[in-house]
Amino acid sequence: MDVRNRDIGRRVGYWRSRRGLTRQQFADLVDRSISWVDKVESGQRGLVRLPMLEAVANALQIDVAALTDDDAARRAAESPDAVEVCAIRDALCSYKVIFDGAGEAPDPVRLRRQVDYACAAWLASHLTTMGRVLPGLIAESQRAVATLDGFNRVEAARHLVMAYRLASSTLLKLDTIELAWLAADRAMLTARSVGDTVCLARASRCVARALACLGQPRDSLDVLIAMATRMEPELASQDRQLLSMYGMLLLPAEIAAAQKGDVDTALTMHRRAEQIARQLGPGYCDPVSAFGVTNVALHRLAALVRMDEGGRAVTYARTIEPQSLARLPRERKATYLLDMAEAHRQCRQYPEAAAAVVRADQVAPEEVRRRPATHALIRRLLDVASGEPALLLRRLADRASVAT
């Protein structure tokens, strides 16, 4: 079997699956038979003519290079692409449930599994998975809220708010801020419709992060403090989910305060979050948000970086136990390493900064190779790094298609 045919066939199968196309649907798009599709994907038949390659690429909504070029294929596979971002946008902007009806109620158990899968993908920094699953998850959760009642409707609202939260967070990482704000606003509207504290807390955090990225840290801080204050009477129940959600309001409040240069408020938020984390126990790590003692420490480091206190951040990092870091999800570990890279850069410790970025790429490649903010950090370091660190960064920049 020809190696090139095999590689192209494997990529055709990957993109057909990623686009959610059956063999029959794909065959219809390219005016071929299912047998032809099977032979192409198995590598038994090659796409030797350019017009056929172009027809296949058009059907899959990708560049021809994503099928024929190794580097282009790898880059295309590492992140949600424009088609998937548009699909998320279409799901956010859809009013189908209102005007066309919701149809049959989804299976609550199946919906919960879908949400759990999406949450796990987020914590693992699989942005490509987020791009594929979010449009369907949003639509299915909207249908559940419209058709279920009682406790099941509240659960469905929690799922929908989570779907919106994951969409907003994914879009923020991709620097699609206005669309991320829309997802956050949808989360808040859903939360208000059921009045559930968990929904409102999660939606408030989502809105606050979008506001901060829009350059409105004061408004972000106000939302978080208002929601935290609203939750405080319920904390006496010692419900661990509520305590964790409360703590996860304090952490972005610390970051928002740091962004606006409010050192005292940032420290107050940190100390309160630390108190909640210790109350939950030294080994506690929320399965959805990763709230716990170590995540609180990581947010303190991030706040110091945002206040341009790189030296203090590097010193503070020495107090974080490596074993605790190792137990965190990939998304948290990669974010920590990128914050460390910026802290070292602020201290002009360029070899250490470069090493942190390279390590982040090893932990969670999609966090490094597809995020505009990380690309900007790599470019800043390339301007000042030299020797072996510069060589490693240059190789990473090439793999990540960083424009320099």
Side-chain angles (χ1 to χ4, degrees):
M1 183 186 298
D2 185 270
V3 173
R4 183 172 185 274
N5 290 348
R6 183 195 63 197
D7 289 343
I8 291 176
R10 175 174 50 80
R11 290 163 189 160
V12 169
Y14 167 80
W15 282 103
R16 179 184 60 76
S17 175
R18 181 162 165 174
R19 295 298 187 228
L21 296 170
T22 65
R23 283 177 170 80
Q24 183 63 67
Q25 289 169 330
F26 177 58
D28 291 343
L29 286 172
V30 294
D31 196 24
R32 290 292 187 273
S33 66
I34 292 180
S35 174
W36 181 89
V37 173
D38 287 339
K39 288 178 180 178
V40 167
E41 291 188 1
S42 66
Q44 297 175 47
R45 184 185 186 100
L47 297 175
V48 295
R49 295 171 55 242
L50 181 59
M52 196 66 243
L53 265 172
E54 290 176 338
V56 168
N58 287 338
L60 297 172
Q61 298 178 280
I62 56 175
D63 291 333
V64 170
L67 296 176
T68 60
D69 181 81
D70 290 345
D71 290 339
R74 175 181 46 75
R75 288 194 297 268
E78 286 176 347
S79 177
D81 63 4
V83 174
E84 289 158 342
V85 171
C86 285
I88 295 173
R89 181 201 62 200
D90 292 345
L92 292 172
C93 298
S94 174
Y95 297 93
K96 183 178 177 63
V97 169
I98 295 175
F99 295 113
D100 296 341
E104 185 179 352
D107 177 4
V109 175
R110 179 175 178 273
L111 181 58
R112 177 56 185 265
R113 285 200 297 264
Q114 290 174 315
V115 173
D116 289 345
Y117 176 76
C119 288
W122 168 259
L123 290 173
S125 287
H126 290 163
L127 299 181
T128 50
T129 300
M130 304 308 298
R132 291 199 304 272
V133 305
L134 281 172
L137 180 58
I138 290 170
E140 193 80 346
S141 300
Q142 287 174 337
R143 200 156 60 88
V145 172
T147 53
L148 298 174
D149 53 23
F151 173 77
N152 284 334
R153 183 170 185 271
V154 174
E155 281 294 295
R158 289 185 177 186
H159 296 332
L160 181 54
V161 168
M162 178 59 80
Y164 285 141
R165 199 279 286 178
L166 291 171
S168 183
S169 296
T170 298
L171 292 164
L172 287 177
K173 283 184 183 287
L174 299 175
D175 209 23
T176 313
I177 299 174
E178 295 291 342
L179 197 54
W181 160 251
L182 176 62
D185 191 54
R186 289 283 190 272
M188 184 61 81
L189 290 173
T190 301
R192 286 188 61 193
S193 73
V194 291
D196 175 65
T197 299
V198 170
C199 281
L200 285 168
R202 186 164 285 138
S204 297
R205 179 168 168 254
C206 185
V207 165
R209 291 193 68 236
L211 285 170
C213 290
L214 284 167
Q216 298 173 240
R218 177 71 262 175
D219 293 331
S220 173
L221 186 59
D222 288 345
V223 168
L224 292 162
I225 290 177
M227 186 63 217
T229 301
R230 174 173 175 156
M231 288 185 70
E232 285 170 359
E234 300 183 44
L235 300 183
S237 68
Q238 297 298 305
D239 181 280
R240 292 168 77 82
Q241 184 180 28
L242 285 180
L243 285 168
S244 182
M245 287 299 305
Y246 178 74
M248 286 306 294
L249 292 171
L250 300 172
L251 295 182
E254 177 184 4
I255 300 299
Q259 285 178 318
K260 62 188 292 292
D262 188 343
V263 177
D264 291 340
T265 300
L267 185 56
T268 298
M269 295 297 104
H270 168 71
R271 287 173 174 167
R272 180 59 176 146
E274 191 174 47
Q275 179 184 359
I276 295 296
R278 287 174 177 168
Q279 185 176 337
L280 287 166
Y284 179 81
C285 183
D286 186 86
V288 175
S289 67
F291 181 80
V293 171
T294 306
N295 201 4
V296 170
L298 265 55
H299 277 77
R300 183 58 188 160
L301 186 148
L304 290 170
V305 169
R306 281 151 182 79
M307 292 186 287
D308 291 322
E309 293 280 359
R312 290 180 62 198
V314 170
T315 300
Y316 183 81
R318 299 190 187 108
T319 68
I320 303 174
E321 295 181 357
Q323 298 91 336
S324 299
L325 278 172
R327 290 192 291 268
L328 288 175
R330 288 185 181 182
E331 191 275 338
R332 288 286 80 213
K333 286 187 281 193
T335 300
Y336 158 77
L337 287 166
L338 293 172
D339 282 333
M340 283 300 301
E342 175 59 20
H344 284 302
R345 189 194 69 82
Q346 291 174 9
C347 297
R348 300 184 180 182
Q349 297 168 346
Y350 302 128
E352 291 85 352
V357 175
V358 171
R359 176 61 181 144
D361 181 66
Q362 294 167 348
V363 170
E366 293 183 26
E367 288 284 341
V368 175
R369 302 184 187 185
R370 301 272 60 93
R371 291 188 61 186
T374 310
H375 285 200
L377 174 60
I378 291 173
R379 283 193 294 269
R380 287 195 295 269
L381 289 173
L382 282 172
D383 287 340
V384 293
S386 59
E388 183 69 15
L391 179 60
L392 293 174
L393 275 178
R394 175 56 61 189
R395 290 173 180 169
L396 175 55
D398 290 342
R399 290 195 299 270
S401 300
V402 176
T404 57

